[in-house]
Amino acid sequence: MGSAEDAAMTFAEAAAEALGIEAEARELNQIDVGELQSATHFVAVTSTFGDGEFPDTATLFWESISADTDRLGHLRFAVLALGDSSYEFFCNAGKLLDARLEELGATRIMDRVDVDGFYQDPAKVWTTDLVKVLAAERPGGAVKMVAEERGEAPVRERHAPVEVALTVNRPLTAPESDKQVRHYEIDLRGSGISYQAGDSIAVHPCNDPLLVDAILAHFGVGPGHTIADHDHPLGVLLREHLEIRTPSRALLALVAARTADPQAAAAMRAEPPDASWLYGKDVLDLIRLADLSLDEVVDTLRPLQSRDYSIASSPLVHPDQVHLTVATVRYTNNERSHGGVASTFLAERCERLRVQLRPNQHFRLPGPDVPIIMIGPGTGIAPFRAFLQERRATRAPGRCWLFFGDRRRATDFLYGDELHGFVESGTLTRLDLAFSRDQDTKVYVQQRMRENADEFYRWLTDGAHLYVCGDAEHMARDVDTALHEIVARCGGLDAEAAHAYVNDLIKAHRYVRDVY
C-alpha cells in the first residue's frame, strides 16, 4: 500500500537535500542488477508478502540477484525491512536481500533495520541515521546512489486518519449463506480525501468491548484503571490503542517462559511459532495459560493496526463516498466466540470511524481503449466494481473480461445484478462465473481460465492488462500457475520461455495483483 515506496522516496529526498548528492528512487523490478556494478551505494526498502516472499514489484529483481554471481565488493548498502511480527515470516524479504548483498561481497553502511507495524516513525529515524553516516564518510565529492523502493512516479499524499460517517451497511450474501459479506458506504464529505479507482482505504477499528471486558475481568480491574507511562485509562487502551486479537511475539515469549503447559511452551518457543497451535488464539487465550501481572502483559502488546480494504467504487460515480466489500470474520475456538477486529467493528459497532487513504499506484486502469482481464473471486470483486463503474462512466471502448467466483450462486453472487447490468450495457464484454459448491466437483476461476485458454491468450497478445484481487494463499497462486500454463500451451513455449513471458508482463505492469 505504498509504505515502502513512501519510506524510500523520503530517504532519497533527504539524501539529495542534506548531502547534495544524486539519488533516484526506483521500483526494484525496474533495476537491472548490472546497474549495481556502476553504483557506489544501494539503499533498499522492501516489505514482505505471503510466505516470506518479495512483493510483486520486487520479485524479478530478487530472481535476478539470486542467480547473478557477479561480485559487488565495491558496493555499500543499507536495507530497511517493513513487516508485521504477527506473521510467521516477519521481514523475511528484507532479511533475504540483506544476506544476499553481503554474500556478493557488498558492505553494509549500517545494520539492517526491521520495522514492526507502523513504519513512518522508525523510517524517519532510519533516514536520519543513514544520512548522518553518509555525511560523516563523504569525502567531499558527489556520490552516485540508487535508492530503491516499491513504486514509480507516486502521488505521495499520505493522509492522516480522519473521522467519517458510515452511511450504508447491508448484506451482500443471502441469510442462508454459510458466510457473511457486507457492503459499506462511507461519507467522505469534509474529509479532504480524494481517491482513484484501484486505491484502498485503511479502517482504524476499535476492539470488541466483550473481549476488552474479559481481559479486564481476568486481572480484576475496571476500565478506569491506570497504567504507568500510558496516557489513557486501561479500558481506552485496550479498546482503541492496543492489539488484543493477535498476540505479539513478546507476549508469546513471556507466556512460554511462565506457563506450566509444556506443549504450549514448545509451540510458542518454536521459530517461527507453531501456526497451527496459535491459530485462532487471542491475547485472552494466552494470558490464561500463566500467572502474569497486568503491567507486564500491557508492555508486550503492539499498537492496534489499521486494516486495509480495496475500494469498491469509482470517484467519477461516487466522488463523496467510498464503498467497501468486506467479509465478516467469525469463528469459535476453545469454546469461545471470536471475530475479526475490523470486520465485526464495521458490521456490528460502527456509525462513525477513522479512515485514511492508501493510494495504490500500481493497481490502475490503463488507457480507455486497452483491454483488461479481471480475476476477482469473493471479496476480490471490490476494485473491479470500481473499474467497471469508471469504464462505464467514461464510455471507454476497451474490452473488459471478468472472472468471478464464490461458493453458491443463489447465496453468494456478490453484486450479481450489477454485474449483469454491466454486461447488458456493453461495459463488460465477458463474464465467466465459477461457483464452487453448485456441483459435485468444485470449480474455481482458474479452471474457467483454462477452459477459455485460447481466447485468454489472444487477449494478452492484443495487449490486455491482467488484474488479480483476492486470496493470496490459494487463489492467487493457482491463478498464477494457470497463467503460466496458458502462456506455455497457447504460445507454444517451454516452461522457461513462458516464465520469461509472464515476467515481461509483470515488468510492464500488465500483470498486477492486489492480494491479501
Side-chain angles (χ1 to χ4, degrees):
M1 295 303 162
S3 298
E5 176 181 66
D6 181 64
M9 294 198 71
T10 298
F11 167 75
E13 292 165 357
E17 182 178 354
L19 304 175
I21 60 177
E22 177 187 350
E24 182 183 6
R26 290 166 60 186
E27 176 186 317
L28 269 177
N29 278 354
Q30 303 302 322
I31 296 176
D32 187 295
V33 172
E35 291 182 73
L36 299 183
Q37 296 294 340
S38 61
T40 59
H41 293 65
F42 175 52
V43 176
V45 185
T46 183
S47 61
T48 295
F49 168 77
D51 293 330
E53 302 155 28
F54 281 80
D56 285 353
T57 47
T59 53
L60 306 187
F61 177 84
W62 175 243
E63 184 177 302
S64 179
I65 200 171
S66 296
D68 197 287
T69 56
D70 290 338
R71 302 290 292 173
L72 297 172
H74 66 288
L75 189 69
R76 305 197 68 217
F77 74 94
V79 174
L80 179 68
L82 306 186
D84 183 335
S85 63
S86 65
Y87 288 92
E88 184 175 356
F89 298 100
F90 172 57
C91 284
N92 192 61
K95 294 173 182 177
L96 289 174
L97 181 56
D98 182 74
R100 180 57 177 162
L101 290 167
E102 180 184 41
E103 186 179 4
L104 292 174
T107 304
R108 290 183 185 83
I109 304 169
M110 64 184 199
D111 290 340
R112 184 190 74 249
V113 171
D114 297 337
V115 176
D116 184 9
F118 295 111
Y119 76 97
Q120 288 172 308
D121 289 341
K124 287 177 183 177
V125 173
W126 171 80
T127 291
T128 301
D129 291 346
L130 187 51
V131 167
K132 286 179 180 177
V133 171
L134 292 170
E137 69 178 24
R138 189 174 175 218
V143 179
K144 181 180 180 182
M145 301 183 66
V146 180
E148 185 286 322
E149 57 71 42
R150 299 178 48 196
E152 56 178 6
V155 178
R156 298 186 58 220
E157 186 177 11
R158 310 294 292 180
H159 290 274
V162 294
E163 186 172 310
V164 293
L166 181 66
T167 56
V168 173
N169 173 356
R170 62 178 174 85
L172 290 172
T173 46
E176 59 269 27
S177 174
D178 53 8
K179 64 178 183 176
Q180 184 186 78
V181 178
R182 305 188 72 84
H183 171 87
Y184 301 98
E185 297 180 10
I186 294 171
D187 186 352
L188 295 180
R189 287 176 296 180
S191 70
I193 292 178
S194 58
Y195 69 99
Q196 297 183 57
D199 285 343
S200 293
I201 279 283
V203 171
H204 292 256
C206 293
N207 283 309
D208 183 350
L210 294 179
L211 179 57
V212 172
D213 290 344
I215 293 173
L216 292 172
H218 174 83
F219 288 108
V221 298
H225 183 85
T226 57
I227 299 287
D229 300 323
H230 290 280
D231 296 332
H232 303 285
L234 184 58
V236 175
L237 277 176
L238 295 179
R239 187 175 67 250
E240 301 178 15
H241 298 283
L242 297 176
E243 186 73 57
I244 57 176
R245 180 64 66 193
T246 304
S248 67
R249 292 204 174 198
L251 180 59
L252 295 180
L254 177 63
V255 176
R258 305 272 280 278
T259 184
D261 183 337
Q263 181 183 2
M268 289 182 281
R269 286 196 180 106
E271 188 52 48
D274 185 339
S276 61
W277 183 88
L278 274 173
Y279 181 78
K281 291 183 173 65
D282 57 24
V283 166
L284 182 60
D285 291 317
L286 263 64
I287 62 177
R288 285 175 169 175
L289 295 173
D291 183 14
L292 307 172
S293 73
L294 173 59
D295 286 17
E296 61 186 350
V297 168
V298 169
D299 285 345
T300 69
L301 301 182
R302 303 164 65 243
L304 179 60
Q305 305 259 4
S306 59
R307 271 63 172 177
D308 294 336
Y309 296 104
S310 301
I311 294 175
S313 55
S314 164
L316 300 184
V317 181
H318 301 283
D320 296 323
Q321 295 179 331
V322 292
H323 297 178
L324 303 179
T325 309
V326 181
T328 309
V329 177
R330 294 189 180 92
Y331 59 96
T332 300
N333 187 60
N334 291 340
E335 300 182 352
R336 289 181 50 228
S337 296
H338 298 257
V341 176
S343 65
T344 58
F345 169 71
L346 288 168
E348 302 168 357
R349 309 186 298 276
C350 182
E351 293 182 356
R352 298 191 64 81
L353 69 161
R354 293 187 307 135
V355 301
Q356 65 190 109
L357 184 66
R358 299 287 199 209
N360 190 346
Q361 301 302 322
H362 299 286
F363 211 81
R364 292 278 187 259
L365 279 167
D369 58 342
V370 177
I372 60 173
I373 303 172
M374 301 164 286
I375 302 172
T379 56
I381 188 62
F384 304 136
R385 181 177 184 260
F387 281 6
L388 291 169
Q389 286 184 359
E390 188 133 324
R391 283 216 152 173
R392 183 167 61 186
T394 59
R395 298 183 180 179
R399 293 173 292 159
C400 302
W401 188 353
L402 173 66
F403 291 83
F404 174 78
D406 214 307
R407 295 178 182 175
R408 298 175 181 84
R409 185 183 188 118
T411 59
D412 307 313
F413 193 179
L414 310 183
Y415 302 113
D417 291 342
E418 289 186 33
L419 294 181
H420 284 308
F422 286 125
V423 173
E424 292 168 3
S425 70
T427 303
L428 188 52
T429 313
R430 287 196 59 163
L431 174 61
D432 281 80
L433 303 171
F435 293 101
S436 60
R437 272 76 165 177
D438 277 352
Q439 57 285 310
D440 292 337
T441 302
K442 292 180 180 179
V443 177
Y444 298 104
V445 288
Q446 62 270 18
Q447 291 163 259
R448 298 295 185 228
M449 292 169 60
R450 292 186 177 98
E451 291 168 1
N452 297 277
D454 291 336
E455 183 70 9
F456 194 100
Y457 185 69
R458 276 195 293 271
W459 279 54
L460 291 179
T461 58
D462 288 344
H465 285 222
L466 173 60
Y467 300 86
V468 181
C469 183
D471 169 58
E473 186 174 357
H474 299 293
M475 182 276 296
R477 294 179 189 276
D478 293 340
V479 165
D480 188 71
T481 298
L483 172 62
H484 281 79
E485 291 175 3
I486 290 169
V487 168
R489 177 161 63 87
C490 298
L493 305 175
D494 61 20
E496 184 177 351
H499 183 71
Y501 183 101
V502 173
N503 279 357
D504 286 342
L505 294 178
I506 294 171
K507 193 166 187 176
H509 297 139
R510 287 182 52 207
Y511 173 29
V512 293
R513 306 191 299 176
D514 178 8
V515 294
Y516 39 84

